[in-house]
Amino acid sequence: MKEIIQVNKISYSYPERPLLFNQLSLTVHQGEWLAIIGQNGSGKSTLARLIDGLLVLNQGEIIVDDLMVNDQNIYDIRDRIGMVFQNPEDQFVGATVEDDVAFGLENRLVKREKMHEIVEKSLKNVGMWDFRERIPANLSGGQKQRVAIAGIIALSPKIIILDEATSMLDPRGRKEILKLVRHLKEQNRLTVISITHDIDEAAEADRVIVLNQGKIIDENTPRAIFSHSKRLKEVGLDIPYTAKLIAALVKRGIVAEKSYMDDKELITWIQQLVSAK
Amino acid sequence: MSNFIFGRYLPGHSWIHQMSPQSKLLLCFYFVVVIFFANNLPSYGVLCVLILVAILSSGISIMYFLKGIRPLIWLIIFTVLLQILFSSGGHVLWHFGPFSVTDESLINGGFIFMRFLLIIMISTVLTLTTTPLAIADGVQTILKPLKKIRFPVDTLALMLSIALRFVPTLMDEMETIMNAQRARGVDFGSGSLKHRVKAAVPLLVPLFTGAINHAENLSTAMEARGFSDSEHRTKYRLYKWQGKDTISWLIFILVGVAVLFIRK
């Protein structure tokens, strides 16, 4: 598989603070869903901002789709990456839904007729076309994030970075947004990087990177990562619901052969246990 | 705040709704200038008829306009009373100490009342039929000539539209902070002046820091979406000068000329 993002031995620190990243390297493959998890202050969001060129590296290099992240390529790189941020309120630039989706297109000097076409298509794609004349104050958090996603797919990027995009939403809004992104990813063969501390969101990824204090401490499929839940707990992260349930059962003398299963596996296993008795 | 209708927008599809914002803004300004030319009963009569036609053609109930005046009524009454009680000239009808009421001062007071009324009416017609965004765009179009002297018109328009977009957000936030501080025992709106000013501090400081946070996050989000500067951009919305604008301007100019002839 092609590597769409390469992070080579980067170092970064915020002014007047100790080094956050020291010689960090990682790669993202084209078309994968990568989850980066870690506690607050582990450097997840900083990493996303470095990839998009919103922060400037101290050392090392980042290559996005064969382009080095630097001043000359910055707008080409931002054409390829769409970012959804944490706070739905703060990334809503436009006065209405339509204007917000059009913002990125206006910056890229798209012609007006073409713009109207794309805005309509993008808003229909996320199911917000009926809300096009609403102002942000009259939208829920989940709806605002949908609009943010519409603004990004209007620019047809290759990579979507969700920078804790669901952390301020209720469980239903979170599920809806993730479903939407998954659908868009499959439809347009996108690469998705989701930065999160929601463990259930990470469980849906193809690959998980665990970041702690600027260092990668684990990198594997969600299944493999969640099978060693002890290590997650050590760095202050939660474990998925099913893993908790299995652990609780083990405590009561019901031994499972695996320490992590997804919902379906867990249900079949319990059904087997019950029918065996 | 709920009965303060000045600056609120009511959606609709009337003649006035469909006019371009730049012509509405200029028309509003022009009308205010004309108001100051009127100085006798017939000229005010003509202007009243015109404003009534404008209100009726906006398709918005007249009750809304009356509500718009309500918060300003004390200011109007105060000014009118000052005018009536302290002006001289004409026959004295009643006097007491430094106060006197003359027939001329009564008439002048009436005119001032009419001016207030007409100015509030026309600006309410403007804000009720135009979205804040359209007003920002209108300002940008009107100020375009200033670009020649390197005035940053596009940046100003962007700032204006972001400011307008954040008004409801910051209002909500203020409400939340106020309630949060009340829950901790801060008493807003009672006690001496000094006490009240002190009570405003736990409201203003978080509101400011919140605004700075918003600004930082918003600018990051704007940059990530490819914003480089406010000049090299295309525009999603287009507000063109239309036939409706020309016709409205013709009517207003005719009325303006008529007022010039009728006035004393």
Side-chain angles (χ1 to χ4, degrees):
Chain A
M1 236 191 298
K2 202 190 150 211
E3 287 161 345
I4 196 160
I5 299 176
Q6 296 175 20
V7 176
N8 290 334
K9 295 184 178 168
I10 57 160
S11 299
Y12 181 79
S13 67
Y14 285 101
E16 288 162 45
R17 259 190 261 174
L19 214 56
L20 178 58
F21 296 129
N22 191 7
Q23 305 284 307
L24 180 84
S25 296
L26 63 94
T27 51
V28 183
H29 307 294
Q30 189 153 24
E32 79 169 331
W33 181 306
L34 172 71
I36 300 177
I37 59 174
Q39 267 192 304
N40 290 337
S42 60
K44 312 181 298 276
S45 296
T46 310
L47 185 61
R49 282 168 165 73
L50 286 168
I51 291 172
D52 204 29
L54 293 164
L55 294 173
V56 181
L57 280 172
N58 298 9
Q59 239 180 64
E61 55 172 18
I62 297 176
I63 294 164
V64 177
D65 200 23
D66 299 329
L67 287 169
M68 173 112 93
V69 178
N70 57 23
D71 281 352
Q72 284 98 51
N73 294 334
I74 197 84
Y75 293 107
D76 292 322
I77 282 165
R78 286 179 191 160
D79 277 348
R80 287 166 172 74
I81 301 176
M83 269 181 101
V84 185
F85 294 93
Q86 180 176 21
N87 190 333
E89 197 64 61
D90 287 351
Q91 52 182 316
F92 208 110
V93 188
T96 68
V97 169
E98 263 180 290
D99 292 285
D100 190 60
V101 177
F103 180 76
L105 297 166
E106 290 177 323
N107 293 335
R108 287 169 179 81
L109 303 171
V110 178
K111 292 243 163 57
R112 188 176 292 116
E113 299 73 41
K114 186 98 184 135
M115 213 156 19
H116 279 268
E117 223 171 84
I118 300 173
V119 168
E120 181 173 347
K121 211 177 108 199
S122 315
L123 277 175
K124 280 184 175 158
N125 222 328
V126 301
M128 290 293 291
W129 178 241
D130 296 335
F131 297 87
R132 62 186 175 279
E133 283 175 6
R134 293 268 193 106
I135 60 168
N138 295 338
L139 294 173
S140 72
Q143 286 172 329
K144 276 179 225 167
Q145 291 301 60
R146 272 167 183 268
V147 175
I149 292 171
I152 278 159
I153 58 170
L155 305 170
S156 44
K158 289 185 172 176
I159 304 158
I160 289 187
I161 301 179
L162 304 174
D163 185 3
E164 299 187 34
T166 59
S167 67
M168 292 178 97
L169 303 181
D170 58 12
R172 186 199 275 174
R174 177 177 301 174
K175 260 190 197 140
E176 276 177 12
I177 292 292
L178 291 177
K179 212 172 126 195
L180 176 70
V181 174
R182 180 157 290 282
H183 174 74
L184 291 169
K185 175 186 179 287
E186 263 136 45
Q187 209 178 27
N188 307 314
R189 291 196 212 110
L190 301 170
T191 308
V192 176
I193 302 176
S194 95
I195 287 166
T196 179
H197 39 222
D198 179 44
I199 224 71
D200 295 311
E201 191 176 322
E204 294 198 16
D206 300 324
R207 188 157 62 103
V208 178
I209 286 178
V210 185
L211 211 57
N212 191 43
Q213 290 173 343
K215 288 186 188 69
I216 295 175
I217 57 164
D218 212 344
E219 180 181 348
N220 218 325
T221 58
R223 192 170 290 271
I225 296 238
F226 297 143
S227 300
H228 306 286
S229 48
K230 221 180 192 175
R231 197 153 29 165
L232 286 180
K233 277 185 190 162
E234 274 166 12
V235 296
L237 284 166
D238 203 8
I239 56 171
Y241 177 72
T242 50
K244 275 186 207 161
L245 188 64
I246 293 167
L249 288 172
V250 170
K251 242 185 213 166
R252 286 165 181 75
I254 302 165
V255 181
E257 60 232 60
K258 285 185 278 183
S259 58
Y260 175 71
M261 301 180 219
D262 62 22
D263 291 5
K264 250 191 209 152
E265 288 172 328
L266 186 74
I267 291 167
T268 26
W269 175 62
I270 292 174
Q271 278 169 344
Q272 277 169 1
L273 274 183
V274 173
S275 60
K277 270 190 181 173
Chain B
M1 238 31 202
S2 57
N3 53 8
F4 197 73
I5 68 143
F6 193 76
R8 195 175 292 180
Y9 167 72
L10 287 178
H13 297 281
S14 73
W15 174 285
I16 299 184
H17 277 96
Q18 287 167 15
M19 280 169 63
S20 68
Q22 59 267 34
S23 83
K24 270 191 272 191
L25 272 166
L26 285 175
L27 210 57
C28 196
F29 183 69
Y30 163 82
F31 188 76
V32 171
V33 173
V34 170
I35 288 170
F36 284 97
F37 276 106
N39 62 358
N40 59 1
L41 220 51
S43 54
Y44 275 110
V46 171
L47 291 178
C48 281
V49 171
L50 183 65
I51 202 84
L52 216 63
V53 170
I55 288 172
L56 288 178
S57 67
S58 72
I60 295 164
S61 118
I62 203 133
M63 280 309 292
Y64 250 104
F65 292 88
L66 296 179
K67 253 175 150 182
I69 301 171
R70 217 162 43 190
L72 297 170
I73 198 76
W74 292 111
L75 180 73
I76 300 175
I77 290 177
F78 179 69
T79 320
V80 170
L81 272 181
L82 278 185
Q83 177 73 24
I84 292 177
L85 292 177
F86 289 107
S87 67
S88 51
H91 293 289
V92 176
L93 302 175
W94 174 84
H95 74 101
F96 174 80
F99 307 115
S100 66
V101 177
T102 67
D103 54 353
E104 225 168 79
S105 70
L106 271 180
I107 292 170
N108 278 334
F111 285 165
I112 283 179
F113 179 74
M114 284 311 295
R115 278 181 194 164
F116 267 116
L117 196 70
L118 288 170
I119 291 172
I120 293 166
M121 286 292 179
I122 192 80
S123 41
T124 313
V125 170
L126 173 79
T127 53
L128 284 182
T129 60
T130 321
T131 59
L133 178 77
I135 292 181
D137 266 327
V139 170
Q140 188 181 13
T141 313
I142 292 169
L143 294 183
K144 217 166 240 168
L146 290 182
K147 264 189 190 173
K148 281 195 187 122
I149 55 165
R150 293 201 184 165
F151 187 80
V153 175
D154 300 297
T155 310
L156 186 81
L158 186 78
M159 275 165 57
L160 194 60
S161 75
I162 289 175
L164 290 169
R165 171 245 168 282
F166 266 98
V167 167
T169 307
L170 289 177
M171 290 281 243
D172 280 354
E173 223 165 81
M174 190 177 79
E175 191 86 29
T176 312
I177 297 170
M178 266 177 109
N179 286 335
Q181 302 291 26
R182 272 198 195 110
R184 294 169 187 186
V186 177
D187 184 13
F188 293 105
S190 73
S192 67
L193 187 67
K194 194 179 154 201
H195 182 85
R196 283 191 202 198
V197 172
K198 263 192 178 164
V201 174
L203 171 65
L204 289 178
V205 173
L207 201 61
F208 270 123
T209 53
I212 289 167
N213 274 332
H214 281 310
E216 201 169 339
N217 291 337
L218 184 73
S219 62
T220 311
M222 282 168 74
E223 246 187 275
R225 287 168 73 182
F227 179 82
S228 58
D229 65 78
S230 48
E231 238 171 275
H232 301 97
R233 307 180 70 223
T234 44
K235 296 212 80 178
Y236 178 69
R237 289 185 188 267
L238 178 68
Y239 298 100
K240 260 202 288 207
W241 189 280
Q242 311 155 52
K244 284 192 170 73
D245 295 305
T246 316
I247 296 169
S248 312
W249 265 99
L250 283 178
I251 296 171
F252 270 69
I253 288 173
L254 271 177
V255 170
V257 171
V259 166
L260 279 183
F261 274 105
I262 298 171
R263 74 191 286 262
K264 272 191 286 197

